[in-house]
Amino acid sequence: MKKILIVLGSLLISFCSDAQYWQQTVNYVIDVTLNDKEKTIDAFERITYVNNSPDTLHYIWFHLWPNAYKNDKTAFSGQLLGNSNTRFYFSSKEEKGYINRLDFKVDGAAAKTEDHPNHIDIIKVVLPRPLPPHAQAVITTPFHEKLPFNFSRGGYDGNSFQLTQWYPKPAVYDQQGWHPIPYLDQGEFYSEFGTFDVRITVPKDYIVAATGELQTPEELAWLKGKSGYPKEDKLKYKAPRRGITQPRITRRVLVPQAPVRTPSTAKTKTVIPPAGFKTIQYIQSNVHDFAWFADKNFIINADTCQLPSGRIIDVFTYYTPSNTGLWRKSLQFTKDAIRFYASEVGDYPYNIVSVVQGPQSYSGGMEYPTITVISPMKNEREFDLMIAHELGHNWFYGVLATNERVYPWMDEGMNTFYENKYDVQKYGAQPQMQQLALVAKEKRKTDQPINTPAEKLSDVNYFLVAYTKTADWLQLIESKIGRDRFRKMMQAYYKQWAFKHPQPQDFKSIAQTELKEETDKIFALLDVNGALPNEEYKGFKIASPLKPSSIKEYLTHPTKDLLLFSPAFGYNTYDGFMAGALITNYKLPPNKFQFFIAGLYGTNSNRFNGIGKINFNFYPRKVFRLGQIFVNGSSFSMNEFKDSADRKIYMAFEKIVPGFKLTFKEKDPRSSLRKYIQWKSFFINEQGLRIKPDTLVNGIDTALVLRYNKVKQSSTIHQLQFVIENTRELYPYNVKLQIESGVDFLRPTLDLNYFFNYPKEGGLSFRFFAGKFIYVGEKTISKQFATERYHLNMTGPNGYEDYKYSNYFIGRNKFEGLASQQIMMHDGGFKVRTDLLASKVAKTDDWLIALNLNTSLPENINPLSVLPFKTPLHVFADIGTYAEAWKRNAEGDRFLFDAGLHVPIAKGVVNVYIPILYSKVYGDYFKSTIPENRFLKTISFTINFTNSLFNQLNHEAEF
């Protein structure tokens, strides 16, 4: 009896819910003409708007999304910049787009419009007469559109056209009210269901693929003639009926709502295309969007596909000759995906499905009702999965039309869950790169709840949370109730909410029939950060690149702990080639306790060297989001000496660096701003030489051979940094305030870096440095001599002046040869060197100020552009001054300068500087110390691994 009451209660709740539910109906008739020369369209739109709500409407919000491309002040442009994409921001006027020539009429009467207060791609159409419940209005307007370059989903690329989000569209009005939303690249759409009757006029040589069923028999016959499919497969085609391929069995379209009235084509004027053009017609009911694509070079593949229900649908794929190889399999991939989703979720409700190849400028894939666009790809499995994912949106977006802008997980996440199933079913278990990255963000406390609106998610979280984490959440539900019950639950959800706008609560109500008392607990996970129960890894693995299968095994089946062994190699002129091994537990996701140890044997020095790091991470919840306590260490040879017997003696350094770093918590997860405080103490031992007091008689000539002892010289440097950096794509900057202290001195410095982007590529980097050297206690000659190494330096600092041993030098203390020309970016940052002077030019124990400028050159004036590989060329200029130049009776100029050419190699890991102009004092130095090959020997270079990919990956891991 209790079970019967529960069932009756559930049915009553469901009935009441259905009785209260309503949604608007919007039917379209559109005539559109493409001008492929001007990249424009001209169109006329007739909308029948049916007010199914209980409210009287006085206005209708309209989306004019082509205006998102009008200028760089739109929400779309701002979001792209926030996601590190400047392509649209710096686009030319010709590449931008807009919509205009609108003239709204409602039932024949002119309608006033009002601009949205914040967004130029939204407009309010004020109704001349209120629209009461259950009434309808006919809204018409012409419109003209300048198509943008394909920056995001639609536009043009050459003579390839992608007409998406291209027509004036009423915003959704539902139980929560109006939903006027600007166009965004990250975050998709929410639209009303209806019928589309679209007549497209294009030049005759264009092939068109569009939403819905083609109604023009002669066009279908022409397309079949263009088909690149093997001739024997063309036998599957039969005589067209209504312009649609004749099915083998009677079609039955799933329409779980009252059918809408198809606009009568008989009541509209006949469109006569101009000479050289053709007009084709597409019709589709029960959809909420319409997209079409046009290209002269499309190859067409066509076939039929029998669904698990027995229905047969038409399948078309369109692609260009340059992608023939992979796209030959596009038909089979399309059919596999459609059958899979139909079996798992519910029957595919339409008579046709199409897949279109997008242009090179397009990246990834994008779904529209009955049709999807896929960018050119090279990997077969990824191509298959991309088709499956985008076609899956016919269910999760096309039929279950959730508000994707507010609840992206209900579309992208649910669809990703089934894409993952498709992947495993077809290709077996694969490396879980997305899950590893997701868990890493969860451990770093930089993830966001699943139930976060699309525009509030960071660009990384949009994919890792809305897609991957939602799929994991659904996997958790399936693991609790079993695969068969889960399939039953999802099919019930699909059947009940097909062609509607389900909300999270609607899905929860369906899930409750299976989850029972666990429902609230499971759904509460949507609104919290952190790992899901099924994301907690367990166990331990050992892996090595010497056994690639062990790494793949970890990536495919991650464990809580991993120990990685690998060969390790290194080089410097003293140790020579170094070989050894490393062991580490660094991985994704990161452990709280991390270590890295590498031992290397030097073939020149015949000594063991090494580098290591121990790190402990913790995650405060308030002011700081990440704390790190660490100890770093390293030991390598750093100098060499030949005694009177021509024996080489190698000297080494040893360094131990304990410290901590506290990274402040960001208020906005989308922010690229980072602030941290860091403390390090450098305990350094350096080997020096001391002459032994005894002598050695060498042979019969009684020559004396001096003997030497290695002695250790110890130093300690304490360093405190406060850093603010913004890694935004446009105008990034970095500010570092640093104080170093040692025996008898303090060394406060300010280092400010700013990058000004140029419209096309490259930009101008600006660096300002100011430093002050302060003696602790009274300044004496002995203190001045003892601290000389730490004084502020204007000209190219060498390896000896890297007193913290924080930079990699090939030959740290070399004074001749190529290795001696290496410098580091430090203090004044000049690119010229004066190493051979007893006191370097512009080295001071007082104050120093410098400005460093560096600009890239356009490719059309870059002489290195003739090389077979892309080599950028920059121009640098440095200017600076220091305390001694302003003293009374000072000789020389108060301001020093140098300028020349800069060639960055490997994205700035290696930088070659060629001074061309410089102050007289530097010219005099070169003349007096470099008798020959002067030009070559003035060239300097840096090796900067802090700009490497490894550093970038580490930086990203913190976010």
Side-chain angles (χ1 to χ4, degrees):
M1 183 65 180
K2 185 178 180 180
K3 291 183 178 179
I4 295 175
L5 290 175
I6 291 174
V7 172
L8 289 174
S10 298
L11 290 174
L12 180 61
I13 292 172
S14 177
F15 175 79
C16 293
S17 176
D18 290 343
Q20 295 173 357
Y21 179 83
W22 53 265
Q23 66 186 45
Q24 309 292 59
T25 301
V26 182
N27 298 323
Y28 297 81
V29 176
I30 307 176
D31 290 289
V32 56
T33 300
L34 170 69
N35 184 329
D36 64 329
K37 302 291 191 272
E38 299 294 330
K39 316 298 186 191
T40 62
I41 59 170
D42 288 282
F44 187 86
E45 178 179 65
R46 180 179 185 269
I47 298 173
T48 302
Y49 189 96
V50 183
N51 182 14
N52 297 318
S53 79
D55 307 316
T56 296
L57 303 181
H58 297 274
Y59 58 85
I60 297 175
W61 284 107
F62 267 77
H63 293 137
L64 305 179
W65 283 330
N67 274 343
Y69 302 93
K70 191 172 184 177
N71 57 47
D72 59 15
K73 303 297 190 295
T74 64
F76 162 72
S77 177
Q79 187 190 68
L80 283 184
L81 286 179
N83 288 348
S84 301
N85 185 334
T86 61
R87 177 66 179 86
F88 174 75
Y89 184 86
F90 287 121
S91 62
S92 65
K93 180 180 178 181
E94 291 72 23
E95 290 179 314
K96 290 183 170 65
Y98 55 82
I99 186 171
N100 62 9
R101 302 180 193 173
L102 297 155
D103 183 14
F104 284 98
K105 290 182 171 60
V106 181
D107 294 328
K112 295 181 180 180
T113 59
E114 296 177 8
D115 294 335
H116 190 279
N118 301 316
H119 304 295
I120 64 173
D121 54 346
I122 304 173
I123 197 170
K124 180 191 286 184
V125 175
V126 180
L127 301 177
R129 292 185 299 275
L131 184 62
H134 311 300
Q136 67 180 36
V138 176
I139 305 169
T140 62
T141 184
F143 61 95
H144 169 82
E145 183 178 337
K146 164 64 175 66
L147 299 175
F149 180 79
N150 194 325
F151 300 104
S152 169
R153 301 188 181 96
Y156 72 87
D157 187 346
N159 285 319
S160 175
F161 296 90
Q162 306 81 45
L163 277 294
T164 63
Q165 313 302 340
W166 57 281
Y167 53 91
K169 180 191 295 188
V172 171
Y173 184 70
D174 61 16
Q175 287 81 352
Q176 287 79 43
W178 285 104
H179 295 273
I181 53 178
Y183 180 90
L184 294 177
D185 184 69
Q186 176 185 302
E188 296 179 2
F189 311 107
Y190 189 36
S191 306
E192 303 283 17
F193 281 99
T195 295
F196 284 82
D197 180 350
V198 182
R199 281 159 293 190
I200 302 168
T201 301
V202 294
K204 284 186 176 181
D205 53 352
Y206 274 87
I207 298 170
V208 174
T211 293
E213 301 186 62
L214 180 60
Q215 304 296 306
T216 313
E218 59 272 23
E219 180 71 8
L220 182 63
W222 184 71
L223 292 181
K224 288 166 59 178
K226 289 277 187 179
S227 176
Y229 210 65
K231 292 183 178 180
E232 56 270 21
D233 291 320
K234 291 184 181 181
L235 297 176
K236 296 179 180 179
Y237 290 104
K238 297 185 179 181
R241 184 190 66 179
R242 293 192 302 106
I244 301 298
T245 305
Q246 180 72 24
R248 296 177 182 173
I249 63 173
T250 302
R251 300 179 191 271
R252 183 176 64 83
V253 179
L254 174 64
V255 186
Q257 65 173 36
V260 296
R261 184 171 57 190
T262 302
S264 172
T265 57
K267 294 182 180 180
T268 60
K269 62 182 180 180
T270 302
V271 176
I272 302 176
F277 284 71
K278 63 184 176 183
T279 298
I280 57 179
Q281 182 182 25
Y282 284 87
I283 289 180
Q284 186 60 59
S285 61
N286 290 314
V287 293
H288 50 73
D289 200 2
F290 187 97
W292 58 282
F293 308 88
D295 196 300
K296 295 179 180 180
N297 299 313
F298 276 147
I299 295 171
I300 304 155
N301 285 357
D303 201 354
T304 57
C305 176
Q306 184 169 355
L307 302 177
S309 65
R311 291 181 53 245
I312 291 181
I313 64 171
D314 292 313
V315 181
F316 286 82
T317 64
Y318 303 76
Y319 56 93
T320 58
S322 60
N323 289 277
T324 300
L326 200 57
W327 276 78
R328 285 186 181 275
K329 298 185 178 182
S330 58
L331 270 181
Q332 188 58 53
F333 291 160
T334 300
K335 292 191 288 185
D336 290 347
I338 288 291
R339 290 185 184 121
F340 172 81
Y341 276 88
S343 175
E344 290 287 334
V345 186
D347 204 26
Y348 180 75
Y350 308 112
N351 290 336
I352 190 169
V353 63
S354 301
V355 178
V356 181
Q357 177 220 305
Q360 291 290 339
S361 58
Y362 188 75
S363 177
M366 184 62 198
E367 72 280 0
Y368 304 94
T370 79
I371 194 167
T372 186
V373 59
I374 306 291
S375 63
M377 304 183 75
K378 296 181 179 180
N379 181 282
E380 181 175 307
R381 172 177 162 267
E382 291 178 2
F383 179 53
D384 187 6
L385 295 182
M386 184 66 73
I387 289 177
H389 180 91
E390 301 307 334
L391 289 179
H393 281 302
N394 280 282
W395 283 262
F396 300 102
Y397 151 85
V399 177
L400 297 167
T402 55
N403 186 341
E404 296 181 76
R405 189 64 60 85
V406 179
Y407 308 113
W409 65 271
M410 296 186 72
D411 166 58
E412 298 294 357
M414 288 186 175
N415 191 33
T416 299
F417 170 80
Y418 284 102
E419 177 200 343
N420 292 345
K421 274 185 173 292
Y422 178 85
D423 186 15
V424 172
Q425 177 177 301
K426 198 166 183 180
Y427 296 100
Q430 299 293 323
Q432 300 182 34
M433 302 306 298
Q434 292 87 351
Q435 280 79 4
L436 289 169
L438 169 63
V439 177
K441 287 193 70 67
E442 291 168 343
K443 285 182 175 291
R444 292 279 190 177
K445 308 294 184 184
T446 58
D447 64 312
Q448 294 171 262
I450 292 174
N451 206 16
T452 302
E455 66 266 34
K456 298 295 184 182
L457 289 164
S458 70
D459 56 337
V460 176
N461 278 334
Y462 180 68
F463 293 100
L464 293 182
V465 174
Y467 287 66
T468 304
K469 189 169 185 177
T470 305
D472 290 347
W473 178 73
L474 289 171
Q475 182 63 48
L476 174 64
I477 296 176
E478 186 183 66
S479 69
K480 287 183 174 296
I481 65 177
R483 182 164 184 172
D484 291 339
R485 288 171 60 193
F486 183 87
R487 182 190 289 112
K488 177 183 176 183
M489 179 189 78
M490 294 303 293
Q491 290 178 349
Y493 171 56
Y494 177 72
K495 182 177 181 180
Q496 181 170 334
W497 287 98
F499 305 104
K500 297 178 183 177
H501 300 307
Q503 304 292 319
Q505 184 59 42
D506 301 318
F507 180 62
K508 182 179 179 180
S509 296
I510 296 291
Q512 192 165 15
T513 60
E514 299 294 340
L515 287 171
K516 311 296 183 188
E517 66 277 358
E518 288 196 85
T519 304
D520 289 340
K521 178 182 176 182
I522 295 296
F523 274 77
L525 296 172
L526 295 173
D527 297 301
V528 297
N529 298 63
L532 298 171
N534 61 331
E535 288 176 342
E536 294 289 348
Y537 297 135
K538 299 179 182 180
F540 170 79
K541 279 189 172 72
I542 297 176
S544 171
L546 298 176
K547 188 179 179 182
S549 61
S550 64
I551 296 178
K552 183 177 180 181
E553 172 62 22
Y554 171 77
L555 297 176
T556 305
H557 303 288
T559 53
K560 180 181 179 182
D561 296 299
L562 173 72
L563 202 59
L564 180 68
F565 292 89
S566 174
F569 305 98
Y571 176 81
N572 66 57
T573 57
Y574 310 115
D575 291 307
F577 176 76
M578 291 177 281
L582 67 83
I583 178 173
T584 181
N585 73 338
Y586 272 81
K587 65 178 180 62
L588 284 179
N591 293 339
K592 284 188 176 182
F593 175 77
Q594 300 169 299
F595 68 88
F596 173 95
I597 300 172
L600 298 162
Y601 181 78
T603 55
N604 282 356
S605 61
N606 294 318
R607 72 182 299 271
F608 283 98
N609 304 293
I611 185 170
K613 180 181 181 68
I614 298 173
N615 189 72
F616 179 78
N617 302 308
F618 60 97
Y619 305 96
R621 295 185 176 274
K622 294 185 178 180
V623 179
F624 301 102
R625 66 161 179 82
L626 172 63
Q628 297 169 296
I629 301 172
F630 54 82
V631 178
N632 303 332
S634 60
S635 177
F636 292 94
S637 297
M638 52 78 176
N639 208 344
E640 65 183 7
F641 176 76
K642 284 187 179 181
D643 64 14
S644 55
D646 205 31
R647 293 175 304 183
K648 277 190 177 182
I649 302 172
Y650 294 96
M651 292 158 282
F653 76 88
E654 298 166 349
K655 178 176 72 170
I656 299 293
V657 186
F660 67 85
K661 181 177 180 181
L662 296 172
T663 303
F664 287 87
K665 187 175 182 179
E666 298 84 22
K667 293 182 179 179
D668 181 3
R670 287 187 54 80
S671 174
S672 56
L673 184 68
R674 184 174 71 153
K675 295 179 287 186
Y676 66 84
I677 297 173
Q678 180 173 267
W679 172 270
K680 290 181 177 180
S681 291
F682 297 81
F683 299 100
I684 299 171
N685 287 323
E686 298 170 290
Q687 289 181 337
L689 293 179
R690 183 175 60 189
I691 301 175
K692 284 185 176 183
D694 58 337
T695 61
L696 175 68
V697 177
N698 184 20
I700 59 174
D701 62 359
T702 69
L704 296 180
V705 176
L706 298 178
R707 292 182 177 272
Y708 294 86
N709 281 334
K710 292 183 182 179
V711 294
K712 286 188 177 181
Q713 299 171 336
S714 298
S715 61
T716 301
I717 302 293
H718 301 291
Q719 180 191 81
L720 177 65
Q721 289 183 344
F722 176 66
V723 177
I724 301 175
E725 61 181 0
N726 195 325
T727 57
R728 61 192 182 187
E729 192 69 18
L730 195 65
Y731 313 131
Y733 63 86
N734 176 290
V735 180
K736 179 172 68 177
L737 178 62
Q738 177 175 285
I739 301 176
E740 292 181 342
S741 68
V743 177
D744 296 328
F745 74 89
L746 290 174
R747 197 179 193 274
T749 59
L750 174 66
D751 198 328
L752 188 153
N753 293 269
Y754 186 85
F755 185 79
F756 180 82
N757 305 72
Y758 292 154
K760 291 190 176 181
E761 63 177 6
L764 171 68
S765 65
F766 167 103
R767 176 179 180 263
F768 172 79
F769 174 83
K772 172 69 175 173
F773 193 88
I774 303 171
Y775 287 98
V776 177
E778 184 180 355
K779 177 181 176 180
T780 64
I781 293 178
S782 62
K783 282 185 180 181
Q784 190 175 18
F785 179 79
T787 61
E788 183 271 339
R789 190 178 187 182
Y790 310 109
H791 293 173
L792 297 165
N793 185 18
M794 184 80 75
T795 57
N798 57 28
Y800 171 74
E801 290 158 322
D802 181 21
Y803 51 84
K804 298 189 298 289
Y805 289 90
S806 298
N807 292 266
Y808 167 73
F809 276 84
I810 296 176
R812 183 173 293 274
N813 289 291
K814 290 287 186 179
F815 281 90
E816 59 183 18
L818 178 64
S820 70
Q821 295 176 233
Q822 182 178 349
I823 62 173
M824 62 179 177
M825 284 300 100
H826 187 66
D827 291 356
F830 273 45
K831 315 307 183 294
V832 292
R833 309 180 326 281
T834 57
D835 302 338
L836 299 180
L837 293 179
S839 178
K840 295 180 68 171
V841 171
K843 193 166 187 178
T844 177
D845 61 351
D846 197 341
W847 59 264
L848 183 150
I849 296 174
L851 176 65
N852 312 117
L853 301 174
N854 190 303
T855 179
S856 59
L857 291 179
E859 189 171 345
N860 60 349
I861 62 172
N862 176 8
L864 302 181
S865 62
V866 299
L867 297 176
F869 47 89
K870 186 175 182 180
T871 305
L873 182 64
H874 294 198
V875 173
F876 73 85
D878 307 310
I879 185 169
T881 188
Y882 60 109
E884 284 75 5
W886 294 84
K887 291 181 178 180
R888 184 176 298 179
N889 300 323
E891 297 181 359
D893 298 326
R894 287 183 170 178
F895 289 92
L896 301 179
F897 69 89
D898 70 343
L901 300 177
H902 164 213
V903 182
I905 301 171
K907 296 185 177 180
V909 174
V910 177
N911 298 275
V912 178
Y913 297 98
I914 307 170
I916 297 176
L917 302 173
Y918 31 77
S919 295
K920 182 177 181 299
V921 64
Y922 295 122
D924 293 342
Y925 167 78
F926 293 146
K927 290 177 183 178
S928 63
T929 59
I930 308 176
E932 55 186 21
N933 297 322
R934 186 175 300 159
F935 175 76
L936 293 177
K937 291 183 179 181
T938 60
I939 295 174
S940 61
F941 68 95
T942 65
I943 300 177
N944 187 7
F945 287 114
T946 60
N947 286 337
S948 69
L949 174 63
F950 301 104
N951 186 69
Q952 294 176 32
L953 289 175
N954 182 62
H955 182 272
E956 287 299 319
E958 293 189 11
F959 284 79

